Amino acid sequence: MLCSLSMDARALRQVQAVGGDFGQACGAGDLSDTGGVNGTWEAWGRVVVAAIAAIPVAGLVAWWLAGRRGWRAALCDVGMVTGTAPWLWMILTPTGRGRSLNLVPLRDLAEQLADDRVIEQIGGNLLVFAALGFLLPVRRPWFARSYRILLAGAAASIAVEIAQFALATGRHSSVDDVLVNAAGACLAGQLSRHLWASRAVTDRTEPALPEEPTQGIASERDGVGQPTFPSRENIEKCVAAGSMPAIRDELPRSTDPHSRPIPLDARKPA
């Protein structure tokens, strides 16, 4: 996926067969001459510098959004964008013409493990959607499940792989990239588990009503602090049904704010 990752010989031949040109694959000369940390910095140093320079701007945007969404949501939104955008910049930067595709799981991954740049290749793919996986469950309670983070990372990676293949940017699209990207998002999510959003904390819920009214007690206020008195119609229905004794008048003391709740069975029947 990443241009800084050296492509295997088979993938290079596939791209060349459909018109690919990897002569400047990493922006620093021939692919065989570009390797190690120096080659990676020459290819993508400008991306790193731009990402660092964007941090103050991201801070200002977060401050502006905090007044509208709150600090938690603002920091998560800005963090997901600024943590993912540099990787997408590298992934979608054209390196030539043509395209190649691998739909066989673990085939490219096995070849990368035998490469001398295995840490750079696999490590880079693990970090592509790490910011997304770390902050998404903090931002949205629905994603506070490991399998949902995994699915979100896989969906984002599939979208990027499709874009690479459709745009013919001279890159190799592989199902193994999707697997590693999704795994990286899920692993990053585990690091923020103690920060995951909870519906009980973040969701706005209505005030809870009382579980059950006290039997035989006419309360002056309900569970949310609002005055509540039985109507004459309800009293007459209850009396007719025999569920309560007849009352001389309609709760004369209940309208007094200083009175205590009156047990119905303590009142004199009419």
Side-chain angles (χ1 to χ4, degrees), residues 54-81:
I55 292 177
V57 178
L60 291 175
V61 174
W63 174 79
W64 180 77
L65 289 176
R68 292 160 175 77
R69 306 178 185 178
W71 276 108
R72 183 188 185 96
L75 291 175
C76 289
D77 291 344
V78 173
M80 284 187 286
V81 173

Side-chain angles (χ1 to χ4, degrees), residues 128-142:
V128 171
F129 295 110
L132 181 71
F134 186 91
L135 295 172
L136 191 59
V138 180
R139 177 67 171 90
R140 298 289 183 182
W142 191 85

Side-chain angles (χ1 to χ4, degrees), residues 59-148:
L60 291 175
V61 174
W63 174 79
W64 180 77
L65 289 176
R68 292 160 175 77
R69 306 178 185 178
W71 276 108
R72 183 188 185 96
L75 291 175
C76 289
D77 291 344
V78 173
M80 284 187 286
V81 173
T82 56
T84 306
W87 297 102
L88 297 182
W89 181 356
M90 289 188 284
I91 291 170
L92 297 178
T93 299
T95 62
R97 301 184 305 275
R99 58 174 69 89
S100 66
L101 178 66
N102 170 44
L103 297 178
V104 180
L106 305 181
R107 183 171 69 180
D108 287 341
L109 188 59
E111 295 183 1
Q112 289 177 3
L113 291 174
D115 194 277
D116 57 355
R117 299 173 64 187
V118 58
I119 296 178
E120 181 182 348
Q121 294 186 53
I122 297 181
N125 280 328
L126 286 173
L127 293 174
V128 171
F129 295 110
L132 181 71
F134 186 91
L135 295 172
L136 191 59
V138 180
R139 177 67 171 90
R140 298 289 183 182
W142 191 85
F143 289 98
R145 297 289 187 276
S146 296
Y147 75 92
R148 291 175 178 174

Side-chain angles (χ1 to χ4, degrees), residues 143-231:
F143 289 98
R145 297 289 187 276
S146 296
Y147 75 92
R148 291 175 178 174
I149 303 173
L150 189 70
L151 292 177
S157 181
I158 289 173
V160 171
E161 294 297 318
I162 292 176
Q164 282 187 155
F165 187 81
L167 297 174
T169 58
R171 295 181 178 277
H172 179 58
S173 301
S174 173
V175 67
D176 289 342
D177 288 334
V178 176
L179 297 177
V180 179
N181 292 162
C186 187
L187 290 174
Q190 307 313 306
L191 298 178
S192 65
R193 179 178 287 272
H194 63 291
L195 299 173
W196 283 5
S198 170
R199 291 189 183 276
V201 175
T202 60
D203 285 4
R204 293 183 178 179
T205 57
E206 297 181 357
L209 296 176
E211 296 181 358
E212 291 292 339
T214 305
Q215 296 297 328
I217 300 295
S219 61
E220 295 179 356
R221 292 184 178 273
D222 61 13
V224 293
Q226 298 298 322
T228 174
F229 307 108
S231 65

